[in-house]
Amino acid sequence: MDRSAEDIARAVLDRYGTTFAEDAGIELDDAPAPLFQLLVLAELLSARISTAIAVAAAVELTRGGWTTAATMRDAGRASVIAALGRAGYRRYDERTATELRDRAELVLDRYGGDLRGLGETSEKDVDRAAGLVREVKGIGPTGAAVFLREVQAVWPWVRPYLDERARGGARRIGLPDDGALLAELVAPTELARFAAGLVRVSRLPATRDPLGPEPPVVS
């Protein structure tokens, strides 16, 4: 018996619906520190490096206490490089350490360290918000998409945000290639998790059936 689109969406949420912020231990809220941590995670995830390493790097930066624009700006560059290295983020560690501090400086100068100002500056227009995120050094279209996909959990005005990567995951499992139609399949408060789940689906090996039996855990 064929599954309905709603059943497929629920399966995605159940199996893959963990946001990348949750993976990184970020307790996302509409507040300066978690929003800045999400921005950092978005930049780390946009590099050509594995998701696991990017998430591990975000965790190391949090452990270092660099969770706000001010603490990141004042962080010792060598200490940041060492934290990235511990996570295995070595290919881009020196450049990223510089960009992290430059990004913190921009957030402080432009928004007083509080990224809620980005919503005000963009007048809560999602396209304008994406452009403002891309103005932060080191964050391109991929990083902006990551930030907006995840921040819709706490910024309702961003919803529904299902970028090309998420829609690619939807196509793979027979769901509509349309953000508005996809958004109708889940509750608004579940959209960030749903988008993250679809992205995870898009990254699975081509030989893997995303909705088939889960592979056994090898001890």
Side-chain angles (χ1 to χ4, degrees):
M1 182 176 179
D2 291 337
R3 295 183 181 184
S4 68
E6 289 79 6
D7 287 342
I8 293 173
R10 179 51 52 187
V12 170
L13 282 171
D14 290 344
R15 187 174 293 192
Y16 305 107
T18 301
T19 67
F20 295 98
E22 289 171 333
D23 272 351
I26 299 170
E27 296 183 11
L28 194 57
D29 194 9
D30 188 21
L35 291 173
F36 181 75
Q37 289 175 270
L38 178 60
L39 188 71
V40 169
L41 177 63
E43 195 271 334
L44 295 171
L45 284 168
S46 66
R48 294 182 178 179
I49 204 160
S50 76
T51 298
I53 290 176
V55 167
V59 170
E60 287 292 338
L61 293 172
T62 297
R63 286 175 179 163
W66 307 307
T67 57
T68 66
T71 56
M72 184 63 77
R73 177 199 58 191
D74 297 335
R77 187 170 181 272
S79 297
V80 174
I81 291 172
L84 295 172
R86 287 193 297 273
Y89 205 93
R90 296 184 180 87
R91 183 177 176 186
Y92 302 100
D93 54 357
E94 294 194 16
R95 185 187 73 188
T96 300
T98 299
E99 290 177 347
L100 285 169
R101 296 172 74 190
D102 289 346
R103 180 182 311 111
E105 192 70 53
L106 184 147
V107 172
L108 286 164
D109 289 346
R110 186 170 295 181
Y111 306 113
D114 186 349
L115 283 166
R116 288 176 295 186
L118 187 148
E120 297 172 4
T121 302
S122 68
E123 298 180 335
K124 297 187 176 179
D125 178 278
V126 176
D127 289 336
R128 288 182 63 187
L132 290 172
V133 175
R134 289 196 299 270
E135 288 179 9
V136 179
K137 186 173 181 179
I139 296 185
T142 298
V146 172
F147 181 82
L148 292 169
R149 275 201 315 260
E150 301 266 320
V151 84
Q152 67 183 320
V154 295
W155 285 357
W157 59 269
V158 174
R159 302 172 190 156
Y161 190 86
L162 293 128
D163 63 312
E164 173 56 32
R165 173 73 78 170
R167 296 197 308 274
R171 290 193 298 271
R172 180 168 174 176
I173 52 179
L175 291 177
D177 182 15
D178 181 276
L181 293 177
L182 288 170
E184 293 176 358
L185 301 177
V186 300
T189 55
E190 295 178 314
L191 272 169
R193 291 179 52 233
F194 187 42
L198 291 173
V199 169
R200 294 180 191 278
V201 166
S202 76
R203 292 176 173 175
L204 291 173
T207 55
R208 170 96 173 269
D209 178 0
L211 302 179
E214 295 192 64
V217 176
V218 178
S219 59

